[in-house]
Amino acid sequence: MNAPPVTIDTSAGSCCAPGQAMDDGTAHDLAKVFKALGDPTRVKLLSMIVGSSAGEMCVCDLTDPVGLSQPTVSHHMKLLVEAGLVTREQRGKWAYYQPTTGTLADAAKALLG
């Protein structure tokens, strides 16, 4: 079961006034996105998917470049899906991942205002 992607509301402009703490929900959502990118392997996996000429990559093509087993790569990909940075589509026994648009930009905008 896939968790819904993280959505960060940036429609109200800056997330908070200078010197004021953001609300707990926004902080939790932002932390989830940035925590997913806190591992160099996940950053590398995301950059490979974003840079793919096909606009997606199969998990089978992600294992060799990072030198990890398929179950380990799948674990990393699960965290990227939960953070809303990629989507996952099951095709037969293989999972294909596509980058999402906006999640990372929205997170940066909410943090920086």
Side-chain angles (χ1 to χ4, degrees):
M1 180 171 165
N2 289 335
V6 174
T7 55
I8 301 165
D9 182 12
T10 59
S11 62
S14 179
C15 67
C16 50
Q20 213 176 8
M22 64 180 64
D23 65 83
D24 290 344
T26 300
H28 181 269
D29 291 345
L30 288 173
K32 195 169 195 173
V33 172
F34 291 120
K35 184 176 181 181
L37 294 173
D39 183 281
T41 298
R42 289 192 287 275
V43 172
K44 187 173 182 178
L45 290 166
L46 181 61
S47 72
M48 289 169 47
I49 296 165
V50 169
S52 170
S53 61
E56 66 180 11
M57 288 190 76
C58 176
V59 70
C60 62
D61 296 322
L62 295 170
T63 56
D64 284 343
V66 293
L68 297 171
S69 68
Q70 185 272 325
T72 302
V73 170
S74 290
H75 168 74
H76 284 296
M77 293 310 301
K78 178 183 176 195
L79 297 175
L80 290 173
V81 168
E82 289 174 352
L85 294 165
V86 297
T87 60
R88 179 183 184 276
E89 181 182 336
Q90 191 71 34
R91 297 182 199 157
K93 74 177 200 171
W94 297 111
Y96 286 78
Y97 297 92
Q98 302 85 26
T100 60
T101 57
T103 300
L104 186 55
D106 288 348
K109 184 177 176 184
L111 184 65
L112 301 173

XYZ file of all heavy atoms in Angstrom:
815
model
N 0.844 -1.181 0.000
C 0.000 0.000 0.000
C 0.879 1.230 0.000
O 1.798 1.354 0.798
C -0.887 -0.030 1.231
C -1.798 1.129 1.327
S -2.971 0.833 2.665
C -3.596 2.457 2.845
N 0.626 2.154 -0.923
C 1.420 3.365 -1.023
C 0.803 4.462 -0.183
O -0.409 4.643 -0.179
C 1.500 3.838 -2.473
C 2.356 2.932 -3.313
O 3.224 2.257 -2.784
N 2.112 2.914 -4.608
N 1.639 5.192 0.514
C 1.173 6.346 1.276
C 0.912 7.476 0.293
O 1.566 7.576 -0.731
C 2.232 6.761 2.288
N -0.059 8.332 0.583
C -0.295 9.454 -0.318
C 0.916 10.373 -0.313
O 1.621 10.482 0.698
C -1.520 10.146 0.290
C -1.590 9.695 1.694
C -0.930 8.339 1.735
N 1.198 11.022 -1.444
C 2.363 11.899 -1.477
C 2.189 13.082 -0.538
O 1.070 13.497 -0.245
C 2.416 12.356 -2.935
C 1.062 12.112 -3.474
C 0.473 10.988 -2.688
N 3.291 13.590 -0.092
C 3.283 14.756 0.779
C 2.875 15.964 -0.047
O 3.374 16.181 -1.144
C 4.692 14.981 1.388
C 4.736 16.271 2.170
C 5.073 13.809 2.256
N 1.942 16.737 0.452
C 1.564 17.984 -0.213
C 1.757 19.121 0.768
O 1.375 19.037 1.931
C 0.100 17.964 -0.694
O -0.749 17.669 0.407
C -0.101 16.924 -1.778
N 2.371 20.166 0.290
C 2.673 21.318 1.121
C 1.958 22.515 0.524
O 2.157 22.857 -0.637
C 4.193 21.561 1.191
C 4.869 20.319 1.776
C 4.509 22.795 2.012
C 6.349 20.275 1.587
N 1.085 23.136 1.302
C 0.298 24.260 0.825
C 1.153 25.518 0.825
O 1.546 26.019 1.876
C -0.932 24.452 1.716
C -1.827 25.589 1.237
O -1.625 26.078 0.101
O -2.729 25.974 1.997
N 1.446 26.030 -0.374
C 2.213 27.265 -0.489
C 1.358 28.388 -1.046
O 1.862 29.442 -1.379
C 3.437 27.059 -1.413
O 2.976 26.636 -2.694
C 4.392 26.032 -0.836
N 0.051 28.176 -1.132
C -0.840 29.176 -1.733
C -0.977 30.433 -0.873
O -1.311 31.484 -1.388
C -2.213 28.565 -1.992
O -2.810 28.158 -0.774
N -0.734 30.316 0.384
C -0.904 31.469 1.267
C 0.363 32.312 1.346
O 0.506 33.146 2.222
C -1.299 31.000 2.665
N 1.310 32.086 0.445
C 2.552 32.847 0.474
C 3.539 32.190 1.415
O 3.611 30.977 1.495
N 4.259 32.999 2.139
C 5.249 32.490 3.065
C 4.594 31.621 4.134
O 3.483 31.891 4.570
C 5.984 33.654 3.724
O 6.936 33.185 4.634
N 5.292 30.588 4.561
C 4.721 29.673 5.545
C 4.571 30.319 6.918
O 3.745 29.892 7.706
C 5.576 28.419 5.650
S 7.202 28.721 6.352
N 5.367 31.292 7.188
C 5.306 31.903 8.511
C 5.947 33.288 8.466
O 6.740 33.592 7.607
C 6.008 31.034 9.543
S 7.666 30.515 9.043
N 5.573 34.099 9.412
C 6.155 35.435 9.517
C 7.566 35.310 10.095
O 7.872 34.345 10.781
C 5.282 36.302 10.420
N 8.426 36.283 9.802
C 9.794 36.222 10.337
C 9.806 36.031 11.853
O 9.053 36.675 12.576
C 10.382 37.581 9.948
C 9.568 38.030 8.783
C 8.188 37.464 9.008
N 10.617 35.110 12.301
C 10.754 34.861 13.726
C 9.658 33.994 14.315
O 9.671 33.712 15.504
N 8.705 33.570 13.503
C 7.592 32.766 13.989
C 7.778 31.329 13.515
O 8.175 31.081 12.383
C 6.294 33.326 13.413
C 5.119 33.208 14.302
C 3.907 33.895 13.676
O 3.925 34.322 12.530
N 2.863 33.998 14.441
N 7.469 30.383 14.370
C 7.597 28.978 14.005
C 6.436 28.571 13.105
O 5.319 29.037 13.274
C 7.607 28.107 15.252
N 6.732 27.692 12.148
C 5.656 27.168 11.299
C 4.844 26.169 12.100
O 5.292 25.683 13.141
C 6.233 26.531 10.036
C 7.092 25.308 10.283
S 7.762 24.553 8.792
C 8.813 25.794 8.149
N 3.667 25.844 11.599
C 2.819 24.907 12.329
C 3.405 23.490 12.263
O 4.219 23.181 11.398
C 1.383 24.939 11.790
C 1.290 24.444 10.371
O 1.232 23.221 10.163
O 1.281 25.296 9.463
N 2.974 22.660 13.186
C 3.521 21.307 13.304
C 3.297 20.468 12.056
O 4.167 19.696 11.656
C 2.916 20.579 14.518
C 3.405 21.151 15.839
O 4.421 21.885 15.841
O 2.768 20.856 16.868
N 2.138 20.581 11.427
C 1.841 19.794 10.236
C 2.781 20.120 9.083
O 3.301 19.223 8.413
N 3.000 21.407 8.860
C 3.909 21.833 7.795
C 5.331 21.377 8.101
O 6.033 20.884 7.219
C 3.860 23.358 7.614
O 2.524 23.740 7.281
C 4.807 23.826 6.531
N 5.745 21.530 9.344
C 7.092 21.099 9.726
C 7.268 19.597 9.508
O 8.312 19.149 9.027
C 7.367 21.468 11.190
N 6.250 18.823 9.846
C 6.314 17.369 9.662
C 6.445 17.017 8.181
O 7.260 16.180 7.790
C 5.066 16.714 10.261
C 5.064 15.234 10.129
N 4.501 14.597 9.056
C 5.573 14.256 10.924
C 4.657 13.295 9.176
N 5.304 13.062 10.311
N 5.631 17.675 7.333
C 5.677 17.410 5.901
C 7.018 17.805 5.290
O 7.577 17.074 4.462
C 4.541 18.142 5.183
C 3.172 17.568 5.508
O 3.102 16.440 6.053
O 2.166 18.251 5.231
N 7.536 18.944 5.692
C 8.839 19.377 5.193
C 9.946 18.426 5.630
O 10.819 18.067 4.837
C 9.160 20.789 5.683
C 8.379 21.929 5.050
C 8.679 23.232 5.766
C 8.700 22.036 3.577
N 9.894 18.008 6.880
C 10.919 17.094 7.393
C 10.907 15.776 6.629
O 11.966 15.203 6.358
C 10.702 16.850 8.884
N 9.733 15.308 6.256
C 9.630 14.048 5.511
C 10.326 14.162 4.152
O 11.049 13.258 3.740
C 8.162 13.671 5.334
C 7.938 12.265 4.913
C 6.474 11.906 5.034
C 6.309 10.409 4.974
N 4.964 9.982 5.247
N 10.121 15.284 3.478
C 10.766 15.494 2.179
C 12.277 15.581 2.345
O 13.037 14.889 1.660
C 10.216 16.766 1.491
C 11.025 17.099 0.231
C 8.748 16.596 1.152
N 12.721 16.427 3.263
C 14.156 16.618 3.421
C 14.845 15.398 4.033
O 15.993 15.095 3.704
C 14.445 17.892 4.222
C 14.085 19.136 3.460
C 13.144 20.019 3.956
C 14.656 19.414 2.228
C 12.795 21.167 3.252
C 14.310 20.557 1.506
C 13.385 21.436 2.022
N 14.142 14.653 4.876
C 14.716 13.430 5.434
C 14.936 12.396 4.338
O 15.940 11.693 4.330
C 13.807 12.861 6.529
C 14.396 11.648 7.217
C 13.522 11.181 8.359
C 14.153 9.984 9.050
N 13.334 9.495 10.145
N 13.993 12.325 3.397
C 14.153 11.389 2.285
C 15.396 11.719 1.470
O 16.035 10.825 0.914
C 12.914 11.423 1.386
N 15.760 12.989 1.416
C 16.948 13.402 0.675
C 18.192 13.477 1.555
O 19.243 13.919 1.101
C 16.695 14.759 0.009
C 15.624 14.727 -1.081
C 15.316 16.138 -1.551
C 16.052 13.832 -2.225
N 18.078 13.011 2.788
C 19.205 13.031 3.714
C 20.172 11.879 3.532
O 21.141 11.765 4.267
N 19.928 11.039 2.563
C 20.798 9.898 2.293
C 21.368 10.044 0.888
O 20.605 10.228 -0.065
C 19.984 8.606 2.403
C 20.842 7.381 2.199
O 21.138 7.063 1.028
O 21.210 6.744 3.203
N 22.682 9.969 0.728
C 23.297 10.152 -0.594
C 22.788 9.165 -1.645
O 22.666 9.521 -2.821
C 24.791 9.952 -0.342
C 24.983 10.140 1.115
C 23.689 9.778 1.771
N 22.471 7.953 -1.236
C 21.960 6.976 -2.199
C 20.617 7.427 -2.751
O 20.366 7.339 -3.962
C 21.830 5.584 -1.547
O 23.121 5.146 -1.139
C 21.224 4.575 -2.507
N 19.738 7.937 -1.890
C 18.431 8.392 -2.365
C 18.557 9.622 -3.264
O 17.827 9.764 -4.241
C 17.494 8.651 -1.185
C 17.068 7.351 -0.511
C 15.932 7.541 0.458
N 16.294 8.190 1.688
C 16.793 7.564 2.761
N 16.995 6.266 2.747
N 17.075 8.241 3.852
N 19.501 10.500 -2.965
C 19.742 11.652 -3.831
C 20.204 11.160 -5.204
O 19.734 11.635 -6.245
C 20.775 12.620 -3.211
C 21.172 13.710 -4.197
C 20.231 13.231 -1.930
N 21.099 10.190 -5.212
C 21.594 9.635 -6.473
C 20.466 8.962 -7.252
O 20.326 9.164 -8.461
C 22.725 8.636 -6.203
C 23.406 8.141 -7.447
C 24.623 7.295 -7.103
C 25.342 6.840 -8.354
N 26.539 6.061 -8.034
N 19.632 8.171 -6.574
C 18.515 7.505 -7.241
C 17.553 8.526 -7.845
O 17.130 8.389 -8.998
C 17.778 6.591 -6.255
C 18.526 5.336 -5.817
C 17.847 4.702 -4.609
C 18.641 4.344 -6.969
N 17.210 9.551 -7.079
C 16.300 10.579 -7.581
C 16.907 11.293 -8.779
O 16.220 11.525 -9.779
C 15.951 11.582 -6.475
C 14.991 12.698 -6.882
C 13.645 12.135 -7.338
C 14.797 13.674 -5.726
N 18.184 11.615 -8.725
C 18.811 12.321 -9.846
C 18.837 11.454 -11.099
O 18.675 11.964 -12.214
C 20.217 12.790 -9.478
O 21.107 11.695 -9.395
N 19.001 10.148 -10.938
C 18.985 9.248 -12.088
C 17.596 9.222 -12.726
O 17.471 9.245 -13.952
C 19.392 7.829 -11.660
C 20.855 7.718 -11.301
S 21.292 6.155 -10.486
C 20.504 4.938 -11.496
N 16.569 9.168 -11.912
C 15.202 9.110 -12.429
C 14.833 10.424 -13.112
O 14.276 10.433 -14.207
C 14.204 8.768 -11.307
C 14.493 7.356 -10.781
C 12.769 8.880 -11.790
C 13.831 7.028 -9.468
N 15.164 11.535 -12.475
C 14.879 12.850 -13.054
C 15.608 13.012 -14.388
O 15.071 13.556 -15.349
C 15.251 13.980 -12.073
C 15.228 15.337 -12.748
C 14.321 13.967 -10.874
N 16.831 12.503 -14.466
C 17.643 12.651 -15.674
C 17.381 11.615 -16.749
O 17.957 11.687 -17.837
N 16.499 10.678 -16.490
C 16.211 9.625 -17.463
C 15.532 10.185 -18.701
O 14.569 10.941 -18.600
C 15.312 8.564 -16.827
O 14.836 7.673 -17.804
N 16.020 9.793 -19.868
C 15.420 10.269 -21.118
C 14.006 9.738 -21.303
O 13.192 10.353 -21.991
C 16.285 9.879 -22.317
O 16.392 8.467 -22.399
N 13.693 8.596 -20.677
C 12.358 8.010 -20.777
C 11.379 8.646 -19.791
O 10.177 8.399 -19.861
C 12.424 6.507 -20.527
N 11.881 9.434 -18.857
C 11.011 10.054 -17.859
C 10.627 9.119 -16.736
O 9.815 9.469 -15.884
N 11.213 7.925 -16.731
C 10.957 6.940 -15.692
C 12.088 5.925 -15.704
O 12.853 5.851 -16.675
C 9.626 6.225 -15.929
C 9.614 5.366 -17.182
C 8.297 4.660 -17.414
O 7.305 4.976 -16.729
O 8.261 3.775 -18.286
N 12.180 5.167 -14.617
C 13.177 4.092 -14.555
C 12.609 2.909 -13.799
O 11.864 3.070 -12.831
C 14.465 4.565 -13.884
C 15.271 5.521 -14.746
S 16.914 5.853 -14.083
C 17.765 4.337 -14.497
N 13.000 1.732 -14.249
C 12.637 0.484 -13.584
C 13.608 0.246 -12.433
O 14.796 0.570 -12.536
C 12.714 -0.664 -14.591
S 12.392 -2.291 -13.866
N 13.108 -0.331 -11.370
C 13.980 -0.645 -10.240
C 15.128 -1.546 -10.682
O 16.237 -1.459 -10.148
C 13.175 -1.257 -9.061
C 12.690 -2.651 -9.395
C 13.990 -1.250 -7.775
N 14.895 -2.361 -11.695
C 15.945 -3.261 -12.177
C 17.121 -2.494 -12.774
O 18.238 -2.998 -12.809
C 15.381 -4.265 -13.191
S 14.695 -3.524 -14.685
N 16.882 -1.266 -13.246
C 17.951 -0.443 -13.815
C 18.613 0.468 -12.785
O 19.578 1.158 -13.094
C 17.399 0.411 -14.958
C 16.915 -0.437 -16.121
O 17.560 -1.461 -16.424
O 15.874 -0.081 -16.718
N 18.087 0.472 -11.573
C 18.631 1.348 -10.531
C 19.632 0.648 -9.616
O 20.380 1.314 -8.908
C 17.481 1.913 -9.678
C 16.510 2.838 -10.399
C 15.300 3.126 -9.518
C 17.199 4.126 -10.801
N 19.664 -0.662 -9.638
C 20.499 -1.388 -8.677
C 21.990 -1.308 -8.988
O 22.783 -0.997 -8.098
C 20.067 -2.861 -8.576
O 20.106 -3.445 -9.873
C 18.681 -2.992 -7.994
N 22.392 -1.568 -10.228
C 23.817 -1.573 -10.566
C 24.507 -0.225 -10.344
O 25.598 -0.186 -9.773
C 24.032 -2.046 -12.005
C 23.889 -3.558 -12.142
O 23.946 -4.269 -11.108
O 23.719 -4.027 -13.286
N 23.909 0.893 -10.787
C 24.598 2.177 -10.610
C 24.888 2.545 -9.147
O 25.854 3.249 -8.871
C 23.651 3.197 -11.240
C 22.835 2.409 -12.207
C 22.686 1.056 -11.571
N 24.054 2.076 -8.228
C 24.300 2.407 -6.816
C 24.981 1.257 -6.073
O 25.345 1.405 -4.913
C 23.003 2.828 -6.079
C 22.493 4.145 -6.632
C 21.939 1.769 -6.148
N 25.117 0.106 -6.735
C 25.835 -1.020 -6.144
C 25.120 -1.664 -4.966
O 25.766 -2.168 -4.051
N 23.793 -1.627 -4.994
C 23.015 -2.209 -3.905
C 22.063 -3.260 -4.450
O 21.739 -3.268 -5.637
C 22.221 -1.115 -3.188
C 23.042 -0.026 -2.504
C 22.139 1.102 -2.026
C 23.840 -0.600 -1.352
N 21.589 -4.130 -3.578
C 20.658 -5.171 -3.986
C 19.291 -4.562 -4.304
O 18.962 -3.455 -3.852
C 20.506 -6.214 -2.877
O 19.843 -5.645 -1.766
N 18.479 -5.312 -5.042
C 17.145 -4.833 -5.414
C 16.284 -4.549 -4.186
O 15.630 -3.511 -4.124
C 16.479 -5.830 -6.375
C 15.140 -5.359 -6.919
C 13.981 -5.751 -6.023
O 13.999 -6.820 -5.421
N 13.000 -4.876 -5.913
N 16.280 -5.422 -3.147
C 15.472 -5.089 -1.965
C 15.910 -3.794 -1.272
O 15.071 -3.032 -0.793
C 15.663 -6.303 -1.051
C 15.997 -7.421 -1.977
C 16.820 -6.779 -3.066
N 17.217 -3.538 -1.240
C 17.708 -2.313 -0.601
C 17.309 -1.084 -1.414
O 16.861 -0.070 -0.859
C 19.232 -2.370 -0.419
O 19.554 -3.518 0.379
C 19.774 -1.118 0.248
N 17.432 -1.168 -2.731
C 17.016 -0.063 -3.595
C 15.508 0.158 -3.455
O 15.046 1.299 -3.359
C 17.424 -0.311 -5.065
C 16.782 0.722 -5.993
C 18.940 -0.275 -5.204
N 14.739 -0.928 -3.392
C 13.287 -0.794 -3.222
C 12.943 -0.088 -1.916
O 12.002 0.702 -1.864
C 12.615 -2.168 -3.275
O 12.685 -2.684 -4.582
N 13.703 -0.365 -0.858
C 13.482 0.324 0.421
C 13.726 1.830 0.261
O 12.915 2.653 0.709
C 14.388 -0.249 1.506
C 14.407 0.589 2.741
N 13.357 0.627 3.636
C 15.340 1.457 3.220
C 13.646 1.470 4.615
N 14.835 1.984 4.389
N 14.833 2.180 -0.380
C 15.126 3.599 -0.600
C 14.035 4.251 -1.451
O 13.600 5.379 -1.171
C 16.479 3.766 -1.292
C 17.655 3.566 -0.388
N 17.932 4.390 0.678
C 18.644 2.632 -0.408
C 19.038 3.977 1.288
N 19.480 2.910 0.647
N 13.581 3.530 -2.463
C 12.545 4.077 -3.341
C 11.220 4.253 -2.601
O 10.493 5.211 -2.838
C 12.370 3.197 -4.576
C 13.580 3.191 -5.502
S 14.187 4.836 -5.939
C 12.743 5.555 -6.708
N 10.930 3.347 -1.680
C 9.705 3.469 -0.879
C 9.711 4.790 -0.101
O 8.692 5.482 -0.018
C 9.591 2.284 0.083
C 8.385 2.358 0.994
C 8.362 1.211 1.976
C 7.192 1.384 2.929
N 7.282 0.544 4.094
N 10.852 5.152 0.445
C 10.958 6.406 1.193
C 10.782 7.620 0.284
O 10.162 8.622 0.670
C 12.286 6.466 1.947
C 12.467 5.378 3.016
C 13.858 5.450 3.619
C 11.408 5.491 4.095
N 11.302 7.537 -0.944
C 11.123 8.633 -1.894
C 9.659 8.749 -2.323
O 9.149 9.857 -2.504
C 12.030 8.437 -3.112
C 13.525 8.610 -2.859
C 14.330 8.213 -4.091
C 13.858 10.025 -2.424
N 8.973 7.608 -2.469
C 7.542 7.619 -2.801
C 6.752 8.245 -1.655
O 5.901 9.108 -1.864
C 7.021 6.193 -3.119
C 5.502 6.161 -3.170
C 7.614 5.686 -4.422
N 7.029 7.806 -0.430
C 6.303 8.326 0.736
C 6.506 9.830 0.921
O 5.627 10.518 1.425
C 6.720 7.572 1.998
C 6.211 6.143 2.030
C 6.742 5.346 3.206
O 7.637 5.832 3.939
O 6.264 4.210 3.380
N 7.662 10.322 0.501
C 7.940 11.758 0.605
C 7.313 12.533 -0.547
O 7.332 13.759 -0.548
C 9.444 11.996 0.635
N 6.755 11.831 -1.531
C 6.119 12.497 -2.657
C 7.076 12.953 -3.737
O 6.705 13.739 -4.603
N 8.309 12.460 -3.708
C 9.307 12.882 -4.687
C 9.251 12.067 -5.976
O 9.714 12.530 -7.022
C 10.704 12.817 -4.072
C 10.914 13.811 -2.928
C 12.154 13.466 -2.123
C 10.995 15.225 -3.470
N 8.719 10.864 -5.908
C 8.525 10.019 -7.084
C 7.196 9.281 -6.945
O 6.654 9.155 -5.840
C 9.666 8.979 -7.288
C 11.004 9.645 -7.547
C 9.770 8.029 -6.112
N 6.680 8.797 -8.077
C 5.524 7.917 -8.055
C 5.980 6.535 -8.491
O 7.019 6.387 -9.145
C 4.402 8.412 -8.996
O 4.912 8.459 -10.338
C 3.881 9.762 -8.570
N 5.202 5.530 -8.132
C 5.546 4.138 -8.422
C 4.412 3.498 -9.191
O 3.246 3.656 -8.842
C 5.751 3.390 -7.104
C 6.097 1.942 -7.239
C 6.198 1.327 -5.826
N 6.616 -0.034 -5.863
C 5.818 -1.079 -6.068
N 4.536 -0.882 -6.242
N 6.291 -2.299 -6.098
N 4.777 2.771 -10.251
C 3.796 2.020 -11.035
C 4.300 0.587 -11.170
O 5.427 0.359 -11.625
C 3.623 2.648 -12.414
C 2.610 1.936 -13.278
C 2.506 2.551 -14.660
O 2.835 3.734 -14.844
O 2.085 1.815 -15.564
N 3.485 -0.359 -10.750
C 3.835 -1.768 -10.839
C 3.476 -2.296 -12.226
O 2.352 -2.139 -12.675
C 3.076 -2.568 -9.767
C 3.561 -3.977 -9.599
C 4.931 -4.059 -8.953
O 5.280 -3.245 -8.109
N 5.712 -5.038 -9.359
N 4.451 -2.902 -12.896
C 4.229 -3.536 -14.204
C 4.791 -4.949 -14.126
O 6.003 -5.145 -14.188
C 4.920 -2.771 -15.323
C 4.400 -1.372 -15.498
C 5.090 -0.681 -16.658
N 4.921 0.757 -16.546
C 5.732 1.629 -17.107
N 6.752 1.235 -17.841
N 5.513 2.916 -16.942
N 3.889 -5.903 -13.975
C 4.342 -7.278 -13.777
C 5.098 -7.365 -12.474
O 4.625 -6.905 -11.438
N 6.299 -7.929 -12.523
C 7.076 -8.048 -11.283
C 7.981 -6.844 -11.013
O 8.622 -6.772 -9.983
C 7.893 -9.340 -11.281
C 9.092 -9.371 -12.180
C 9.841 -10.687 -12.002
C 11.260 -10.577 -12.492
N 12.071 -11.736 -12.158
N 8.029 -5.897 -11.946
C 8.919 -4.751 -11.794
C 8.157 -3.477 -11.450
O 7.053 -3.244 -11.919
C 9.736 -4.529 -13.068
C 10.636 -5.677 -13.367
C 10.522 -6.555 -14.405
C 11.775 -6.097 -12.619
N 11.513 -7.493 -14.344
C 12.310 -7.234 -13.255
C 12.407 -5.628 -11.478
C 13.426 -7.907 -12.783
C 13.522 -6.303 -11.010
C 14.022 -7.423 -11.659
N 8.805 -2.638 -10.668
C 8.261 -1.328 -10.315
C 8.980 -0.264 -11.137
O 10.207 -0.312 -11.282
C 8.452 -1.047 -8.830
N 8.203 0.666 -11.664
C 8.750 1.784 -12.420
C 8.476 3.064 -11.645
O 7.400 3.247 -11.077
C 8.100 1.867 -13.813
C 8.588 0.789 -14.743
C 8.102 -0.512 -14.645
C 9.558 1.060 -15.702
C 8.560 -1.513 -15.483
C 10.021 0.063 -16.555
C 9.519 -1.218 -16.436
O 9.978 -2.201 -17.267
N 9.465 3.946 -11.643
C 9.379 5.184 -10.870
C 9.470 6.394 -11.796
O 10.304 6.434 -12.699
C 10.498 5.229 -9.830
C 10.377 4.117 -8.820
C 11.032 2.905 -9.009
C 9.563 4.262 -7.705
C 10.896 1.871 -8.083
C 9.423 3.242 -6.788
C 10.092 2.051 -6.986
O 9.943 1.031 -6.082
N 8.599 7.370 -11.536
C 8.592 8.628 -12.270
C 8.754 9.767 -11.270
O 8.179 9.715 -10.176
C 7.266 8.829 -13.029
C 6.911 7.738 -14.020
C 6.184 6.563 -13.372
O 5.529 6.696 -12.358
N 6.333 5.384 -13.959
N 9.498 10.801 -11.633
C 9.628 11.940 -10.713
C 8.319 12.724 -10.653
O 7.580 12.783 -11.628
C 10.741 12.782 -11.344
C 10.711 12.421 -12.793
C 10.245 10.994 -12.869
N 8.029 13.277 -9.508
C 6.859 14.151 -9.381
C 7.293 15.577 -9.691
O 8.484 15.901 -9.656
C 6.267 14.104 -7.962
O 7.268 14.528 -7.034
C 5.794 12.714 -7.604
N 6.341 16.383 -9.988
C 6.666 17.790 -10.248
C 6.203 18.610 -9.062
O 5.089 18.445 -8.580
C 5.977 18.285 -11.532
O 4.572 18.087 -11.398
C 6.470 17.541 -12.753
N 7.070 19.431 -8.579
C 6.676 20.404 -7.583
C 6.963 20.094 -6.126
O 7.075 21.013 -5.336
N 7.053 18.841 -5.732
C 7.201 18.541 -4.302
C 8.438 19.196 -3.710
O 8.373 19.860 -2.680
C 7.233 17.021 -4.051
O 6.025 16.450 -4.521
C 7.402 16.712 -2.573
N 9.573 19.017 -4.377
C 10.811 19.582 -3.840
C 10.786 21.119 -3.911
O 11.172 21.778 -2.942
C 12.015 19.032 -4.614
C 13.379 19.408 -4.083
C 13.538 19.037 -2.604
C 14.464 18.727 -4.910
N 10.288 21.654 -4.999
C 10.196 23.121 -5.128
C 9.244 23.692 -4.076
O 9.539 24.728 -3.468
C 9.730 23.497 -6.528
N 8.114 23.016 -3.856
C 7.167 23.480 -2.841
C 7.781 23.437 -1.446
O 7.547 24.325 -0.625
C 5.887 22.637 -2.857
C 5.022 22.911 -4.077
O 5.275 23.899 -4.800
O 4.093 22.118 -4.315
N 8.565 22.373 -1.165
C 9.205 22.258 0.137
C 10.201 23.393 0.360
O 10.239 24.020 1.422
C 9.885 20.895 0.279
N 11.003 23.671 -0.653
C 11.981 24.763 -0.547
C 11.270 26.098 -0.379
O 11.670 26.932 0.443
C 12.893 24.773 -1.764
N 10.206 26.296 -1.141
C 9.463 27.562 -1.057
C 8.828 27.737 0.327
O 8.854 28.831 0.902
C 8.373 27.586 -2.134
C 7.604 28.881 -2.201
C 6.602 28.849 -3.340
C 5.770 30.119 -3.344
N 4.732 30.086 -4.377
N 8.279 26.674 0.877
C 7.668 26.758 2.197
C 8.698 27.055 3.273
O 8.424 27.780 4.224
C 6.950 25.454 2.522
N 9.883 26.512 3.115
C 10.939 26.746 4.099
C 11.548 28.135 3.974
O 11.780 28.805 4.975
C 12.033 25.673 3.958
C 13.156 25.722 4.972
C 12.627 25.437 6.368
C 14.238 24.715 4.604
N 11.789 28.551 2.746
C 12.476 29.813 2.524
C 11.551 31.012 2.393
O 11.999 32.145 2.507
C 13.344 29.711 1.254
C 14.405 28.604 1.307
C 15.091 28.478 -0.034
C 15.395 28.878 2.419
N 10.285 30.736 2.144
C 9.302 31.823 2.054
C 9.238 32.519 0.764
O 9.761 32.553 -0.196
